[in-house]
Each structure stands twice: as C-alpha cells, then as structure tokens.
C-alpha cells in the first residue's frame, strides 16, 4: 500500500508564526529567540489509522513521509494491582516495552522506539546524509534497531560507560556505526562529540527535543491512553532526563482540546528526576525559567551517583519557548525527585503488583506517583496516566538471545573537529 505523507505546517512557539517545513527544520529561521517549533496538522481530529500497523496507527499526528518495518505502539491498560495498592480507582498505565501478556512487544524495551520510528520516517526514502544521534543508552538502542532493520545510515555517539545498554536481538546492520566518549564521560560529552561530527556536511544532526518527529513520536503515549480511556487524563506522571516526553504529551493535549471530543482540560504534569541529578527540579522549585547553575564537574559526579543513568541530561529543553517550563506553567503540576533507594523499592513493588520488571527511570515515575498520592495532589477518582517508559528487559532476555554492540571507535572529546570528522568518515 502506498503511504501518503502527513500534511502539516510548523508553528514558532515564541511568536506563533506559521511556516512550511523545509524537510528537516528544527527552528524558525526568522526568529532569534530560542524556541521550539511545533507541528500543526491539517487534520485536527484525532483518528486512528486502522489500515496501518504498530506505531503508525497514529500517523495522522506524526510528521512522517513513510512507514518503516517492525514497529510497535505503546500499550495502555487499567491498573489493578498498583492502582489498588495506591487507592486509585482510575490509574491507567501506558507501557512501552516487552510485555507480551498485554500485547506490548517493543524489542528494545523502551519508549525511545516511538522517537526512532517517527524521526527516521521523517527522512525521505532516498537521502545522502548520515543521521547522527547522541544518547546515554536507550535512545541509542532504539535508533540502532530501527536503522539497522530499515537500512538507514546512522552514527551513534554514546558514553563508553553506557555501552552495556546497547544490546540487541541480532547483530547490527553495517549501516550503523558507534563512536564513544571515553570512560568517565557522560551524556553531555557524547553530545559534544556528535556536534563536532555534524560540522561536516556529510552528517546531519537528529535534533533532539527540537525535532518535531521526536516529540510527536513520544506524544503517541498520550494518544494510546486516550484511545483506551476515551478522554484526556486528569494527571500525567513520567520520569524525565530532558523533559521532552512531557513536553510532547502537553502538545498532544493541546491538539486533543482543539479536537474537542475528549475534553477541554489540560492534564496536570508531574515529571520526576532521580536525586541528586535534579537540575530541572531545582530550577522549577526556584521559580526560575533559567536553569540553575550546574558545573560540568558536579554534573558528572551526580550522573555517576544516580541509578537511572538515562535521566542525566544537563542541557535539557527547559527554558526555551515551548519547553518544559512553559508546559508546566500552562498545564499545572509539579516536579518530584526520587532517591536511589526509592527506585529499588518501587521497582520491586511494581514487579509484584503488575507482573513485569521495569527500568530504573520508570520506577522513578512510580515513586513520584506515590509522593503525589501521599500529598493528596491527585484524587482517588481522577483519571491518572502513568507513563512506564521502559520495561520487560529481564523477560525479553529470557525469551531471546541477545548480543552486545561494541564501539567502532573511542574518541577523546577534546580532539579538534577536523580530526574527529576525518576519523569518523573512514567508518562509512
């Protein structure tokens, strides 16, 4: 079946200017203020594409030019065990991972697949540049899997210390190459490495939070929940490293309000961080749009101390127009922080109550929900969406053999861009 590309335009979140997408537009070329651009879809109604499989059932609100193989969508179900334990009558869990019992079959066990299947499908089928993605782990695994399965050239930049997160059901296609920032480096160092590579026209930056495809891919978690509940939830919980997923569901909430059939309210947002790496928590509690100061030395130390390593972005899209500060200010809610010991406690409890293992980051979200219940920030009859952003790794490793990727090259981040580019180009 021939896929018709989704029709949309872009809106500058600072000025409201509507303009055409040049194909991979990440910001408004006519605006000097740091700002997100948001997709404005021609179809203002939330409609499921039953003629498409997996993730692309939500293609009406995805900026995609094609569909890719082997995608899966998040699965939403009404909680019994955890909901009863917390005294919540309408707790809905949106699960992204591997849990065949409920129909969840994401091979990489992470909702980062929603980003990868959207971003890579925004690319035209024939393009001559190499996509570059920097990641602390889960995003790299998702993009590697999607690009490997669909023969899309990809360069991943990851911290060497996080290579243990790059496991797969089968060896990667040769179109995927991996460079690593040396031991002791963090996610920000991987970004620095990627940025240097992207000074070459042969490579193209994926764009991170500024890429509408990444955000709208993540926003399918809310669409999954609304398909099941028939309405916009009252409150939303998710652990955050960059806050992009929370921004994404806020944007889809606004689209659903415009549709009008699922409610006219904004769900309160309750993102959470893993202490001591709490730059957004600290900034929000200070009432500050600007991020509080966090030195590179302190950031690395804090990142080394947290269990949820993927929640360690020290340059998140918090302050810019359309970012997390604006989302929280508009929708209401709060940011929570969760300790390592709480992660262990709620990871075990979730497995006991819901029957599946979850990642540390997802456990942060569960723990934050318990905080909100204790504080009576949520009502026991409210419709609550808990975004479990990853789980089922233990189960998938029982069901499948896995192989671990190794970096093709470990590169010192202090090397000049010209040398890094020259060495990386040889990989392709």
């Amino acid at each position: 079946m021939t896929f018709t590309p989704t029709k949309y335009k872009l809106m500058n979140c600072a000025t409201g200017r509507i303009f055409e997408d040049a194909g991979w537009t990440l910001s408004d070329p006519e605006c000097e203020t740091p700002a997100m651009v948001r997709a404005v879809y021609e179809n203002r109604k939330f409609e499921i594409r039953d003629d498409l499989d997996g993730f692309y059932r939500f293609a009406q609100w995805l900026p995609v030019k094609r569909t890719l193989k082997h995608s899966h969508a998040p699965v939403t179900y009404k909680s019994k065990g955890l909901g009863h334990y917390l005294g919540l009558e309408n707790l809905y869990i949106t699960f992204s991972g591997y849990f065949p019992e409920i129909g969840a079959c994401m091979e990489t066990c992470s909702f980062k697949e929603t980003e990868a299947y959207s971003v890579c499908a925004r690319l035209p089928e024939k393009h001559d540049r190499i996509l570059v993605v920097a990641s602390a782990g889960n995003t790299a695994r998702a993009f590697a899997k999607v690009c490997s399965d669909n023969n899309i050239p990809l360069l991943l930049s990851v911290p060497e210390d996080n290579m243990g997160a790059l496991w797969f059901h089968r060896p990667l296609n040769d179109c995927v190459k991996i460079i690593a920032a040396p031991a002791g480096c963090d996610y920000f160092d991987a970004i620095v490495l990627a940025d240097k590579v992207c000074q070459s026209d042969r490579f193209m930056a994926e764009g991170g939070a500024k890429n509408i495809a990444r955000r709208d891919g993540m926003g399918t978690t809310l669409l999954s929940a609304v398909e099941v509940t028939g309405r916009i939830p009252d409150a939303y919980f998710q652990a955050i490293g960059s806050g992009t997923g929370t921004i994404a569901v806020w944007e889809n909430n606004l689209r659903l309000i415009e549709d009008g059939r699922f409610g006219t309210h904004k769900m309160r947002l309750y993102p959470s961080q893993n202490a001591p790496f709490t730059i957004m928590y600290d900034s929000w509690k200070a009432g500050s749009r600007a991020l509080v100061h966090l030195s590179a030395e302190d950031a690395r130390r804090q990142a080394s101390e947290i269990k949820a390593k993927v929640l360690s972005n020290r340059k998140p899209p918090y302050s810019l127009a359309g970012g997390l500060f604006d989302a929280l200010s508009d929708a209401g809610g709060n940011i929570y922080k969760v300790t390592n010991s709480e992660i262990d406690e709620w990871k075990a409890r979730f497995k006991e109550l819901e029957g599946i293992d979850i990642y540390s980051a997802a456990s942060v979200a569960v723990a934050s929900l318990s905080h909100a219940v204790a504080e009576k920030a949520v009502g026991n009859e409210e419709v609550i969406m808990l975004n479990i952003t990853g789980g089922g790794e233990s189960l998938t490793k029982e069901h499948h053999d896995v192989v671990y990727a190794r970096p093709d090259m470990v590169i010192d981040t202090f090397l000049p861009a010209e040398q890094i580019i020259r060495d990386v180009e040889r990989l392709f």
Side-chain angles (χ1 to χ4, degrees):
M1 187 189 74
T2 302
F3 177 78
T4 302
T6 307
K7 294 182 180 179
Y8 65 92
K9 292 186 178 181
L10 299 177
M11 184 190 76
N12 183 318
C13 292
T15 66
R17 186 176 91 89
I18 305 290
F19 60 103
E20 297 289 341
D21 182 10
W24 201 255
T25 302
L26 301 176
S27 61
D28 183 353
E30 295 187 10
C31 181
E32 296 181 359
T33 304
M36 295 283 199
V37 293
R38 183 181 302 157
V40 179
Y41 293 100
E42 183 176 284
N43 185 349
R44 304 299 176 91
K45 297 292 185 183
F46 170 42
E47 295 177 346
I48 298 294
R49 286 287 302 270
D50 287 325
D51 58 320
L52 299 177
D53 295 328
F55 170 77
Y56 296 107
R57 295 175 66 251
F58 301 116
Q60 291 285 53
W61 282 1
L62 293 171
V64 293
K65 297 179 175 69
R66 53 178 170 149
T67 62
L68 301 174
K69 295 188 296 185
H70 305 153
S71 76
H72 296 281
V75 174
T76 299
Y77 68 98
K78 188 172 184 178
S79 170
K80 294 180 180 177
L82 181 63
H84 178 75
Y85 183 86
L86 294 174
L88 299 173
E89 296 180 14
N90 295 296
L91 174 62
Y92 288 85
I93 294 172
T94 299
F95 188 92
S96 296
Y98 184 78
F99 193 7
E101 184 179 319
I102 65 166
C105 296
M106 287 186 179
E107 193 172 300
T108 67
C109 300
S110 167
F111 91 138
K112 297 300 184 177
E113 281 192 29
T114 64
E115 302 175 31
Y117 276 108
S118 183
V119 167
C120 293
R122 189 185 181 193
L123 290 167
E125 191 160 358
K126 294 181 180 180
H127 68 287
D128 56 5
R129 298 175 71 192
I130 298 163
L131 187 66
V132 179
V133 174
S135 168
N138 288 347
T139 301
R141 191 166 68 251
F143 272 87
K145 179 252 194 268
V146 172
C147 290
S148 181
D149 285 356
N150 292 277
N151 204 35
I152 297 169
L154 172 71
L155 177 69
L156 291 175
S157 178
V158 300
E160 187 178 20
D161 291 342
N162 292 40
M163 283 299 299
L166 295 188
W167 55 264
F168 303 94
H169 286 185
R170 63 197 68 85
L172 293 174
N173 184 321
D174 198 47
C175 67
V176 177
K177 302 296 183 183
I178 304 170
I179 58 174
C185 292
D186 67 0
Y187 175 43
F188 185 72
D189 296 301
I191 293 174
V192 169
L193 206 55
D195 287 345
K196 288 186 176 182
V197 172
C198 286
Q199 290 179 32
S200 165
D201 290 339
R202 190 174 174 191
F203 298 90
M204 59 185 294
E206 179 268 332
K210 291 184 178 181
N211 192 324
I212 56 167
R214 178 178 277 218
R215 300 202 312 276
D216 289 355
M218 297 167 113
T220 60
T221 54
L222 177 59
L223 301 183
S224 169
V226 169
E227 183 183 11
V228 172
T229 64
R231 56 165 299 212
I232 299 166
D234 296 306
Y236 172 84
F237 289 81
Q238 184 201 328
I240 55 170
S242 67
T244 308
T246 302
I247 297 166
V249 296
W250 169 60
E251 292 178 318
N252 263 349
N253 190 159
L254 298 178
R255 294 183 182 114
L256 289 163
I257 289 173
E258 190 174 359
D259 180 318
R261 294 173 295 161
F262 305 96
T264 57
H265 64 284
K266 295 168 185 173
M267 61 183 183
R268 305 187 306 281
L269 304 173
Y270 295 100
S272 47
Q273 295 204 276
N274 184 185
F277 200 104
T278 55
I279 186 170
M280 286 181 279
Y281 169 90
D282 296 335
S283 303
W284 179 253
K285 292 300 184 181
S288 172
R289 172 183 284 275
L291 287 167
V292 297
H293 176 69
L294 179 63
S295 69
E297 181 181 349
D298 285 342
R300 288 193 181 95
R301 177 184 54 79
Q302 292 173 5
S304 71
E305 292 176 10
I306 62 174
K307 289 201 167 184
K309 299 297 185 188
V310 296
L311 306 184
S312 58
N313 187 336
R314 58 175 134 130
K315 298 288 184 181
Y318 174 86
S319 306
L320 78 174
L324 187 65
F325 182 85
D326 282 348
L328 279 164
S329 299
D330 181 59
N334 201 1
I335 302 183
Y336 288 104
K337 63 178 178 180
V338 170
T339 65
N340 285 340
S341 61
E342 287 180 293
I343 288 176
D344 291 338
E345 174 190 351
W346 285 100
K347 189 182 288 189
R349 189 154 287 156
F350 192 93
K351 175 73 179 294
E352 174 191 345
L353 295 169
E354 296 294 335
I356 191 68
D357 59 288
I358 58 174
Y359 286 141
S360 293
S363 184
V364 168
V366 181
S368 72
L369 175 59
S370 74
H371 288 195
V373 170
E375 295 173 6
K376 300 190 184 305
V378 294
N380 66 337
E381 295 183 358
E382 287 190 305
V383 174
I384 297 168
M385 176 183 169
L386 173 62
N387 189 350
I388 296 296
T389 51
E393 180 173 332
S394 296
L395 186 62
T396 200
K397 287 179 176 178
E398 288 178 17
H399 291 180
H400 305 90
D401 292 330
V402 298
V403 294
Y404 286 83
R406 298 177 62 85
D408 294 284
M409 193 177 291
V410 178
I411 304 176
D412 192 322
T413 57
F414 294 105
L415 289 174
E418 296 81 4
Q419 182 178 340
I420 292 174
I421 290 167
R422 186 168 59 249
D423 290 344
V424 171
E425 283 183 338
R426 293 195 188 105
L427 296 176
F428 294 90

